Amino acid sequence: MKGLTKNIGNSYAIPKRASNNKIEIKNILISRPNHRLGNQLLLTPLVQEVINTFPNCKIDLFVKGGVAHPVFENYEQIDKIIQLPKKPFNHLFKYGWCWLKLKKKRYDLVINGDKNSSSGRLSTQFAKATYKVFGDIDEAIEADYKDYEHISKYPIYNLRHFLEKLGFPKNHNELPVLNIKLSEEELSNGKKILDAIVKNDKKTICIYTNATGAKCYSEDWWETVYGRLEKVYPDYNVIEMLPIENISKISFKAPNFYSKDIREMAAIIKNTSVFIAADNGVMHLASASLTPTVGFFSVTNMNIYQPYGNGSVALNTNETTIDDWFVEIDRILD
């Protein structure tokens, strides 16, 4: 599919406009048809950028699976979420109907959230819109921004570059970070849950020892990290967030918790001092809770997926040592 769709959008030319005509962009479609939690969270900076640029806009999202609903629950500008079924061949009618919905509405602007997504390119092409951003990185962006590879950042750079071509002023504002927009009520509830786990007034370090496939570190690796955390930070609680599989790489030695509610998970994390995990969706959830996050990378491209903002740091464990990791943890806790 990637081979078949890679050239979609290459022939797109920005419509010409009269110099005295003011461009009004109110109805916007953002396409990111991927069901993974991490990929929906990584879309939140682009959504914030659109809202910051067009405060009175209404945004529709074209996604897959149900995770976008809790992720964007507190984004008032989100109008509709067009949700492709996670398993399309089991729900062919619903799958086709979601695509037809793209033709039912005329948009001012359509943005593909991932240049490497076949369905993202197809939906951008398929939707009716005055302006379309397919997501390919311009050489000027590569030259101007060292972090252009990041999956959350390059769509924003692309949008800004596109809008400049339309006559909008150059945007020098700081890039938005991942943000699930937790409410005060959610944060308060998260604190109550955390207090019930630790049962003291000490600050808390939270670890998450699971990940998918080759991204997952061994029991011995996590045992070493956990043991050092306990030794170096006796004035902190060290707790573990468990995955849905209810497994622990440290044999459940730390106080632990589990939740099926991603917003509740984020609220608990927000009440901790630092979150430590390998590259996975929950790492991005911690980042989106605006908590300092330490992300360990060994197989995936750190430049594309690293946590950023709020003092967060990414560490390539093939090129650094445990001493290096704890220097960064010290920096965050200080």
Side-chain angles (χ1 to χ4, degrees):
M1 283 300 296
K2 186 176 178 181
L4 290 170
T5 59
K6 65 181 180 180
N7 293 320
I8 289 178
N10 289 353
S11 61
Y12 175 76
I14 299 176
K16 294 182 179 180
R17 67 182 183 92
S19 58
N20 59 340
N21 285 352
K22 182 181 179 181
I23 295 177
E24 288 193 5
I25 295 180
K26 294 182 179 179
N27 294 307
I28 300 168
L29 174 70
I30 299 177
S31 179
R32 187 66 175 99
N34 185 287
H35 70 276
R36 293 185 180 276
L37 171 63
N39 286 321
Q40 292 304 316
L41 292 165
L42 287 161
L43 188 66
T44 58
L46 176 60
V47 173
Q48 292 171 76
E49 175 75 11
V50 168
I51 293 169
N52 293 340
T53 306
F54 307 108
N56 298 318
C57 71
K58 289 292 183 181
I59 301 171
D60 288 355
L61 299 178
F62 186 65
V63 300
K64 182 184 284 187
V67 74
H69 287 277
V71 168
F72 293 99
E73 183 177 304
N74 287 344
Y75 280 78
E76 295 180 1
Q77 290 84 352
I78 299 296
D79 190 22
K80 294 179 182 177
I81 297 179
I82 304 170
Q83 177 187 321
L84 291 169
K86 186 177 176 181
K87 296 181 179 180
F89 290 105
N90 292 344
H91 306 277
L92 285 174
F93 179 79
K94 182 179 179 182
Y95 185 79
W97 177 243
C98 287
W99 280 92
L100 289 175
K101 284 183 180 179
L102 297 181
K103 286 292 189 182
K104 293 174 69 69
K105 185 173 180 179
R106 178 83 188 184
Y107 294 99
D108 300 312
L109 175 66
V110 176
I111 305 168
N112 176 25
D114 179 11
K115 67 182 186 301
N116 294 315
S117 169
S118 300
S119 46
R121 283 184 173 275
L122 284 168
S123 56
T124 304
Q125 177 79 2
F126 193 64
K128 295 189 294 185
T130 307
Y131 302 105
K132 298 184 177 185
V133 181
F134 284 88
D136 294 304
I137 299 176
D138 191 278
E139 290 181 359
I141 294 172
E142 293 185 19
D144 291 343
Y145 304 102
K146 293 181 180 179
D147 57 354
Y148 73 89
E149 288 183 86
H150 198 283
I151 196 168
S152 283
K153 296 181 179 181
Y154 77 73
I156 297 173
Y157 290 138
N158 276 341
L159 176 61
R160 291 180 178 184
H161 187 71
F162 181 87
L163 293 177
E164 278 184 59
K165 291 182 177 180
L166 290 181
F168 286 79
K170 190 175 182 66
N171 189 341
H172 296 284
N173 292 334
E174 189 174 348
L175 297 186
V177 298
L178 279 67
N179 193 347
I180 200 171
K181 290 187 178 289
L182 294 166
S183 68
E184 290 299 323
E185 183 180 354
E186 288 172 322
L187 292 171
S188 177
N189 184 57
K191 186 177 187 308
K192 289 178 183 177
I193 296 172
L194 179 61
D195 288 345
I197 297 167
V198 299
K199 298 180 174 65
N200 60 51
D201 295 329
K202 295 194 295 186
K203 293 181 179 179
T204 299
I205 296 167
C206 185
I207 63 174
Y208 183 80
T209 63
N210 194 47
T212 55
K215 294 189 291 184
C216 191
Y217 291 91
S218 69
E219 286 84 355
D220 288 343
W221 191 94
W222 274 111
E223 289 272 6
T224 301
V225 172
Y226 173 65
R228 184 145 173 180
L229 286 169
E230 280 202 307
K231 180 180 178 180
V232 176
Y233 305 113
D235 296 330
Y236 283 80
N237 302 301
V238 181
I239 67 170
E240 181 181 12
M241 173 180 282
L242 299 177
I244 192 171
E245 297 86 357
N246 193 37
I247 56 176
S248 167
K249 295 292 184 180
I250 58 170
S251 303
F252 302 96
K253 291 178 181 178
N256 55 68
F257 70 97
Y258 163 73
S259 174
K260 290 183 178 180
D261 185 333
I262 66 169
R263 298 194 67 85
E264 183 177 77
M265 292 164 64
I268 297 168
I269 294 170
K270 178 57 179 170
N271 282 280
T272 65
S273 297
V274 63
F275 185 86
I276 302 170
D279 173 28
N280 59 68
V282 181
M283 179 196 76
H284 296 304
L285 180 63
S287 185
S289 76
L290 309 183
T291 300
T293 302
V294 177
F296 291 122
F297 289 75
S298 60
V299 292
T300 45
N301 189 334
M302 198 166 71
N303 294 333
I304 297 176
Y305 296 107
Q306 64 183 304
Y308 68 97
N310 311 301
S312 297
V313 64
L315 295 163
N316 185 328
T317 55
N318 300 317
E319 301 173 356
T320 56
T321 68
I322 192 168
D323 292 331
D324 299 321
W325 312 340
F326 275 79
V327 166
E328 292 298 336
I329 296 171
D330 280 343
R331 176 188 60 79
I332 291 171
L333 295 179
D334 286 343

